[in-house]
Amino acid sequence: MNNGLSRRSLLSLGAGAVAASTLAACGGGGGDAGGEISKDAVKLRFTWWGSDARHKRTQQAIDLFTKKYPNITISGEFKEWNGYWDSLATTVAANDAPDIIQMDELYLASYAERGALLDLGTAAKHLKTDGIDPAALDTGKVDGKQYAVPTGVAAYSMVVNTTLLEQYKIPVPDDSTWTWDDLKRIGLEVSKASGGKVTGVQSWGFDAGGVNIWARQAGATLYDASGKVSIPPAVLAGYWQYLLDLAKQGIAPAPSVTVERAGASLDQSGTATNTSAFGTWWNTQLTSLSAASGQQLKLLKLPTNGQAAAAESPYYKPSMFWSISSRSKHPAEAALFVDFLLNTTEAGEVLLTDRGVPSNSTVRSAITGKLADTDKAAAEYLATLKVGAAPRVTPNGASGIEAILKRHTEEVLFERRTPQAAAESFIKELQTEIDAA
């Protein structure tokens, strides 16, 4: 599924590898997470990545918190994504990690399993999680312990350009019943009606989300509970065969175009340039896509394979997490701050959807009226889904999955490997990476 999140993750793989290799066992040495909030002066450090707009919103939230708790000072340490993970790995290895850490799903297990993160269950006195759907909350668990809480959630969707469908007199499909075969059929209608100017579907296959969904619809999983690669080769081969069919039948662009778009920015995608009628995206990317497209875009639920398992195949993807360092000298105060960010409408009205649609359902409802129409549609989309159990957190050693996946997808699309051979090779290589971690 071709989107900005996966490209961003690809850029960070080298940094993630540094993190994995330099972390030392560093549990212990912290304060009492369940203790009373200090009335003395407390200094906390808070690190995150993001744009200038995120920095400004985050600082506003910090100011609101410190106004409420004037004895607590919070120093922000923000960086661009590419330098973030090297910096975090260095500070963790030196036992000098910030108290509050913005965490990504790809690296959660790597840090948690090495004792770098606080079990947030020990801070339950100050950090409440009852406002978060259990399926979303479970995305922050490693080996049954809550090492992170999702700041916001997203879910996969099919984004359809209704302007193009209207132009070609093709009805919008019923997303409560449609299948992957329906997508092929409708996509082919678009490609033919446009005379080759527009393809019916923008191909995907470059991030773990697409594989996760395909596996879940087949009643399988990408990883089992122990962290081993568990997707059956036949299921994965079927995934790649479908993508190959789209390309060979002219429903999706030629492989060279697909690969070029996969490495480009969102505004150069088939959806954003109005050169593909359907595309798989996170629901929260609708606003950026609509701004780039200038045409009417709509969120649809993903097609299914018609099997019973597909009914609960949707899952919450954490946009990012809040974690606390296991060595924080002030874990109670750090937990209080995370609780403020997570659970108060005061913070929610400042942060809005910058870190995803708020995971706290009360906050989400409170800010919906303040959102732009496309952000509102993204928030409302979540309510249409029957969400299943959270996928197993990416195992330690598997943070390079998207680089491996990208290479194998390209080999299938260019017919350098059969889907079956690619599936067997992918599973073996990914498992080798996990075993070596």
Side-chain angles (χ1 to χ4, degrees):
M1 295 186 182
N2 185 12
N3 58 60
L5 291 178
S6 63
R7 284 189 290 273
R8 187 183 67 180
S9 299
L10 287 169
L11 289 171
S12 70
L13 292 174
V18 173
S21 64
T22 59
L23 284 172
C26 49
D32 181 7
E36 297 300 320
I37 300 300
S38 177
K39 295 181 180 179
D40 298 328
V42 171
K43 292 184 178 180
L44 299 175
R45 291 163 54 212
F46 173 25
T47 187
W48 68 90
W49 70 82
S51 65
D52 288 341
R54 175 174 296 167
H55 303 334
K56 291 177 182 177
R57 288 184 184 277
T58 305
Q59 188 59 55
Q60 285 179 294
I62 290 172
D63 292 343
L64 289 172
F65 177 82
T66 54
K67 183 178 181 180
K68 191 173 183 179
Y69 299 96
N71 64 307
I72 301 177
T73 301
I74 299 177
S75 174
E77 302 175 9
F78 52 87
K79 297 173 179 65
E80 294 293 338
W81 171 268
N82 290 341
Y84 182 83
W85 298 103
D86 283 331
S87 175
L88 183 61
T90 299
T91 58
V92 168
N95 291 330
D96 188 35
D99 300 274
I100 303 104
I101 300 167
Q102 185 173 292
M103 179 56 63
D104 186 80
E105 194 275 342
L106 278 177
Y107 305 115
L108 176 59
S110 296
Y111 281 89
E113 291 175 2
R114 287 169 170 77
L117 304 179
L118 179 73
D119 173 6
L120 299 180
T122 64
K125 180 177 180 179
H126 307 296
L127 173 56
K128 307 301 181 184
T129 58
D130 53 341
I132 303 174
D133 188 302
L137 197 60
D138 285 351
T139 63
K141 288 183 177 179
V142 177
D143 295 332
K145 293 184 178 180
Q146 195 79 49
Y147 288 105
V149 288
T151 67
V153 292
Y156 272 118
S157 67
M158 186 68 70
V159 175
V160 57
N161 186 317
T162 58
T163 301
L164 288 174
L165 292 194
E166 183 177 356
Q167 179 181 338
Y168 301 128
K169 296 180 171 51
I170 297 172
V172 175
D174 180 355
D175 69 349
S176 66
T177 60
W178 73 327
T179 66
W180 294 108
D181 286 341
D182 291 329
L183 177 62
K184 270 188 180 181
R185 174 180 54 78
I186 299 168
L188 184 58
E189 289 179 21
V190 172
S191 294
K192 288 181 176 179
S194 72
K197 295 179 181 178
V198 173
T199 59
V201 179
Q202 171 181 273
S203 191
W204 58 96
F206 300 91
D207 77 340
V211 176
N212 260 315
I213 287 290
W214 195 270
R216 289 164 70 90
Q217 288 196 0
T221 58
L222 178 54
Y223 307 110
D224 65 18
S226 68
K228 292 188 178 299
V229 182
S230 58
I231 185 170
V235 171
L236 185 54
Y239 172 73
W240 271 315
Q241 185 64 57
Y242 185 86
L243 297 180
L244 181 59
D245 289 347
L246 293 181
K248 295 186 74 171
Q249 294 171 24
I251 301 167
S256 58
V257 175
T258 290
V259 171
E260 182 180 1
R261 286 178 178 172
S265 60
L266 175 148
D267 60 5
Q268 295 179 56
S269 66
T271 303
T273 58
N274 306 317
T275 52
S276 291
F278 293 89
T280 50
W281 295 90
W282 296 108
N283 65 313
T284 49
Q285 293 177 294
L286 181 64
T287 295
S288 297
L289 289 165
S290 295
S293 164
Q295 296 188 2
Q296 291 297 312
L297 305 181
K298 179 181 174 64
L299 294 170
L300 299 179
K301 288 181 282 190
L302 289 169
T304 74
N305 56 13
Q307 296 181 27
E312 295 188 11
S313 58
Y315 66 95
Y316 288 128
K317 166 73 169 68
S319 48
M320 57 199 73
F321 294 109
W322 298 132
S323 291
I324 296 173
S325 169
S326 62
R327 298 189 67 86
S328 173
K329 295 179 180 179
H330 304 288
E333 290 77 11
L336 185 68
F337 177 56
V338 171
D339 183 86
F340 177 80
L341 294 174
L342 191 70
N343 297 324
T344 68
T345 55
E346 191 177 6
E349 289 174 350
V350 170
L351 300 174
L352 295 177
T353 58
D354 180 72
R355 288 181 170 89
V357 176
S359 55
N360 181 296
S361 57
T362 301
V363 174
R364 187 187 311 161
S365 297
I367 71 167
T368 298
K370 301 178 184 297
L371 301 177
D373 288 344
T374 47
D375 282 334
K376 189 180 299 183
E380 292 171 346
Y381 173 78
L382 296 177
T384 70
L385 301 176
K386 188 175 182 181
V387 176
R392 201 269 187 201
V393 170
T394 300
N396 185 22
S399 60
I401 179 175
E402 290 177 350
I404 301 171
L405 184 63
K406 176 179 182 291
R407 178 161 28 84
H408 284 81
T409 293
E410 290 178 0
E411 290 184 347
V412 169
L413 291 179
F414 286 108
E415 298 188 85
R416 293 193 289 261
R417 284 193 199 224
T418 65
Q420 182 66 32
E424 293 171 1
S425 171
F426 170 86
I427 292 168
K428 181 179 180 181
E429 184 175 346
L430 183 58
Q431 187 61 57
T432 298
E433 292 294 309
I434 294 171
D435 292 341

